[in-house]
Amino acid sequence: MKDSIRHLIQQALTRLTAEGVLPAGLSPVIQVENTKDKSNGDFASNIALMLAKPAGLKPRELAEKLVAALPADSQVSKVEIAGPGFLNFFQNSDALAQRLEAALADPRLGVRKNGVAQRVVVDLSSPNLAKEMHVGHLRSTIIGDGVARVLEFLGDSVIRQNHVGDWGTQFGMLLAYLEENPAAAESGLADLEQFYRAAKQRFDESENFAVRARELVVQLQAGDANCLRLWQRFNDISLSHCQKVYDRLGVKLSMADVKGESAYNDQLADIVEALRDKGLLSESDGAQCVFMDEFKNAEGNPLPVIVQKAGGGYLYATTDLAAMRYRSQVLHADRALYFVDQRQALHFQMVFEVARRAGFVHAGMQLEHMGFGTMNGADGRPFKTRDGGTVKLVDLLDEAEERAYALVKSKNPQLDDSELRQIGHAVGIGAVKYADLSKHRSSDYSFNFEQMLSFEGNTAPYLLYAYTRVASVFRKLGKDFAEVGGQIQLGAAQEIDLATRLAQFGEVLNNVADKGTPHTLCSYLYDLAGLFSSFYEHCPILAAEDESVRNSRLRLAALTGRTLKQGLELLGLQPLERM
Ligand code: ARG
């Protein structure tokens, strides 16, 4: 609806420009907001206030001319001028009801993508292997998965790429440790985390060990068969561990989505050559670098993108350039989204620019770093175990499920244990995911079990419960969402408020897709659940006397149920019929 109003205003502006009322060449951002007080209509715009000055008119005068120039539209019943010159739009509730009817009749709830469908690479999760996944990997995995699902729902074809770090110096350390302790092979690989820690300790305490570790990396990268075999085992174990976490989280990632750093090995020399051919390379202390004028440090000295070290080794940036070229030339992506820690922002700005200058990506390809902040503990400090170690993801998820199970059991002691376990899983995992999804990704966030498992506020338990309330109406009725006849008619204020928000689902999803911000979908669902509550309180559904009113309310409830369910699924949560 806001988009339609923006479009109407745009047409009025074009007309007034043609008539000479407005100077040519203005391209204002047209703002349309929801009104707080419905006596001011449903939507308001300050456009006349913004453009009064360039038009040389008083805002109210311009507002009058705009109202006169607005094309008629069946969705708008009237437009009023308020205060200093706001335009207040009143929506036509019959037209709104018809839109909701169309959404009910559509498996995709009337949602359309703004613009054409694209091929989108989503770079997500991408942990460094040889260690178990830890909490630091959660955000990329969960937020990336949510956005990928929304893109798919809107009709984009999404290619997930798990750009795992499977080729770094950490492997030299592991290989050196294995060489020292051949017996550790069997027992050690069962607990990679422990193995990694032991190797790291040796690396830090012994210079000889560190030297050997570096030698082994070189051997590995040179293709030594024995090193490669052991490296492969580390990776297999590590990846199968990741896959378990993905499955448990209900994240849509499989082994087929893994395209790690090592996959680009044989292209790295060529990347450096291509940069040289383009005249982009300079040598600095023996290293091959790209310098660009717009990237300087605080002292004003140019910052390099190093693509080859003095010793010949390639770097993280080189692999990313190769990956971009592959995503453009082989995967034919129109857009690539990188869900990676905000601290890598400069890295991405720089490699994106190098890729453009070198022609590694086609001119129209959108490259976007979807950065996110750090996940902290409840005390706001970096997340650590009591003794200062990194928290294992598995332990965290175990605790979430256990707490959720206890919580649900305390509310529903009569349910049998296997159902309680199932609900505990959906609520516990859902709570961890939702807590992450519901904050703006670029801010840091504090992980707090009490908060995320609360039934009040913008949480997974609250939303999952809200859905079960809608479902229970239909359970009592003995019908499912699709089985109610009649038609939506909007009368009561609570009906209109709920209906207005329901009609915004598509707009919200498009916004998530454009900006990579699932938190806006979370707030939308939270709002919707609240509006449904007031509707439910004020407008009797099953007890409504008049059959056409009862049907209308049931249809509104059905659309609310389907929208909540779809929304939760897009966030990667598992809606429950009861809890
Ligand atoms: N493995 C990297 C890390 O843990 C993240 C990789 C992100 N993706 C990329 N194309 N650089 O920091």
Side-chain angles (χ1 to χ4, degrees):
M1 187 68 189
K2 284 189 201 160
D3 282 336
S4 325
I5 293 176
R6 259 180 230 120
H7 187 61
L8 292 175
I9 296 176
Q10 186 56 57
Q11 286 171 279
L13 293 178
T14 310
R15 188 182 284 181
L16 293 185
T17 309
E19 289 170 4
V21 176
L22 287 170
L26 294 178
S27 51
V29 178
I30 303 173
Q31 291 177 11
V32 175
E33 303 298 339
N34 296 316
T35 52
K36 304 236 157 48
D37 172 0
K38 293 294 167 210
S39 66
N40 294 331
D42 301 290
F43 301 96
S45 176
N46 63 355
I47 188 73
L49 300 162
M50 275 175 65
L51 297 184
K53 206 157 190 192
L57 291 169
K58 295 210 177 73
R60 283 194 76 100
E61 284 170 4
L62 178 58
E64 276 163 29
K65 290 189 191 293
L66 275 166
V67 172
L70 280 170
D73 188 278
S74 63
Q75 297 189 67
V76 177
S77 60
K78 65 175 173 177
V79 185
E80 282 181 358
I81 300 169
F86 288 103
L87 297 184
N88 289 345
F89 292 81
F90 291 76
Q91 67 188 342
N92 178 339
S93 55
D94 291 339
L96 177 59
Q98 268 165 32
R99 280 189 64 181
L100 299 190
E101 284 296 343
L104 268 177
D106 178 357
R108 289 167 23 118
L109 298 166
V111 171
R112 295 283 167 278
K113 183 180 177 182
N114 295 339
V116 291
Q118 291 178 301
R119 282 174 74 78
V120 187
V121 164
V122 176
D123 184 312
L124 77 166
S125 197
S126 309
N128 292 330
L129 298 188
K131 277 176 95 166
E132 286 188 20
M133 282 179 83
H134 59 85
V135 293
H137 298 119
L138 262 181
R139 302 206 74 186
S140 171
T141 309
I142 292 174
I143 301 174
D145 181 56
V147 174
R149 287 171 189 250
V150 170
L151 293 167
E152 268 168 345
F153 185 71
L154 290 173
D156 283 340
S157 49
V158 172
I159 309 165
R160 291 169 175 76
Q161 294 280 280
N162 194 354
H163 189 87
V164 297
D166 58 359
W167 199 241
T169 42
Q170 72 269 32
F171 288 100
M173 206 170 77
L174 299 180
L175 293 174
Y177 190 73
L178 207 54
E179 200 173 59
E180 270 190 5
N181 310 278
E186 288 321 311
S187 60
L189 294 182
D191 187 348
L192 265 187
E193 196 58 29
Q194 153 67 24
F195 189 85
Y196 181 89
R197 248 180 289 144
K200 177 83 170 74
Q201 196 185 342
R202 287 287 293 134
F203 188 86
D204 291 340
E205 73 194 11
S206 154
E207 184 48 33
N208 284 343
F209 183 92
V211 169
R212 183 63 186 147
R214 290 196 197 96
E215 277 171 15
L216 283 167
V217 180
V218 176
Q219 281 188 27
L220 171 69
Q221 303 199 338
D224 176 85
N226 194 40
C227 289
L228 275 175
R229 192 177 50 80
L230 290 169
W231 167 78
Q232 191 61 55
R233 283 200 54 201
F234 282 124
N235 278 343
D236 290 346
I237 294 172
S238 195
L239 278 173
S240 72
H241 167 79
C242 292
Q243 190 58 49
K244 273 197 211 125
V245 173
Y246 298 146
D247 293 345
R248 184 159 175 203
L249 283 173
V251 161
K252 283 201 209 165
L253 269 176
S254 74
M255 289 294 195
D257 303 314
V258 174
K259 178 99 181 164
E261 293 182 11
S262 66
Y264 301 99
N265 275 337
D266 58 355
Q267 298 159 36
L268 302 180
D270 187 55
I271 288 287
V272 175
E273 274 328 295
L275 291 169
R276 195 187 316 280
D277 288 348
K278 291 267 173 188
L280 291 166
L281 275 194
S282 350
E283 196 171 305
S284 173
D285 294 330
Q288 301 301 318
C289 307
V290 180
F291 289 97
M292 295 171 289
D293 286 341
E294 59 273 50
F295 296 102
K296 298 207 166 67
N297 65 14
E299 287 80 48
N301 298 321
L303 283 172
V305 175
I306 309 175
V307 293
Q308 190 171 22
K309 292 193 263 193
Y314 301 105
L315 298 96
Y316 186 51
T318 329
T319 313
D320 257 325
L321 290 170
M324 275 186 270
R325 187 170 72 171
Y326 170 78
R327 292 166 184 188
S328 173
Q329 296 182 359
V330 180
L331 298 178
H332 301 294
D334 303 304
R335 190 179 180 207
L337 308 182
Y338 291 77
F339 289 89
V340 187
D341 195 313
Q342 192 62 43
R343 286 170 291 190
Q344 296 191 27
L346 184 61
H347 162 79
F348 284 110
Q349 281 170 28
M350 294 177 82
V351 292
F352 288 169
E353 187 54 30
V354 175
R356 294 210 183 283
R357 293 193 187 182
F360 291 151
V361 294
H362 64 86
M365 182 158 164
Q366 295 163 256
L367 298 166
E368 294 161 64
H369 174 213
M370 302 290 184
F372 51 79
T374 310
M375 184 162 123
N376 291 323
D379 57 0
R381 316 247 305 269
F383 206 92
K384 290 270 150 47
T385 53
R386 220 159 284 205
D387 54 9
T390 39
V391 178
K392 270 201 196 182
L393 208 46
V394 206
D395 296 341
L396 188 101
L397 298 181
D398 284 346
E399 182 169 351
E401 289 198 36
E402 208 45 56
R403 283 181 183 244
Y405 166 81
L407 183 72
V408 182
K409 188 169 178 168
S410 72
K411 296 203 184 256
N412 287 305
Q414 81 288 357
L415 289 181
D416 70 64
D417 206 61
S418 77
E419 185 167 0
L420 282 173
R421 285 282 164 205
Q422 238 177 313
I423 300 176
H425 171 74
V427 174
I429 300 291
V432 171
K433 295 176 78 172
Y434 192 84
D436 195 343
L437 289 161
S438 57
K439 318 285 183 314
H440 194 300
R441 62 175 160 74
S442 62
S443 43
D444 290 351
Y445 106 91
S446 296
F447 187 95
N448 184 330
F449 274 125
E450 263 96 68
Q451 246 168 42
M452 68 178 68
L453 284 167
S454 163
F455 272 85
E456 269 149 56
N458 189 8
T459 64
Y462 173 80
L463 277 180
L464 291 169
Y465 181 68
Y467 174 71
T468 64
R469 277 180 73 190
V470 186
S472 83
V473 172
F474 287 82
R475 208 172 27 248
K476 275 191 209 125
L477 186 69
K479 287 189 174 173
D480 59 51
F481 292 153
E483 288 173 339
V484 187
Q487 246 181 4
I488 296 179
Q489 324 150 351
L490 301 170
Q494 291 81 6
E495 292 176 328
I496 295 184
D497 288 346
L498 177 62
T500 305
R501 206 73 181 116
L502 280 169
Q504 291 165 355
F505 190 43
E507 186 183 322
V508 170
L509 294 183
N510 273 289
N511 193 33
V512 174
D514 287 346
K515 306 211 179 78
T517 48
H519 76 282
T520 53
L521 173 55
C522 297
S523 358
Y524 171 79
L525 296 176
Y526 178 55
D527 244 33
L528 202 61
L531 291 169
F532 181 78
S533 274
S534 6
F535 159 77
Y536 189 78
E537 231 168 84
H538 291 93
C539 309
I541 303 179
L542 296 177
E545 307 257 300
D546 182 308
E547 190 183 338
S548 71
V549 172
R550 186 168 66 236
N551 280 338
S552 163
R553 290 180 179 165
L554 276 169
R555 287 175 83 74
L556 264 180
L559 186 58
T560 307
R562 282 176 56 195
T563 307
L564 282 173
K565 184 166 193 217
Q566 185 65 65
L568 289 169
E569 281 168 3
L570 290 174
L571 292 169
L573 269 68
Q574 197 188 321
L576 297 161
E577 293 305 310
R578 57 177 190 167
M579 65 189 268

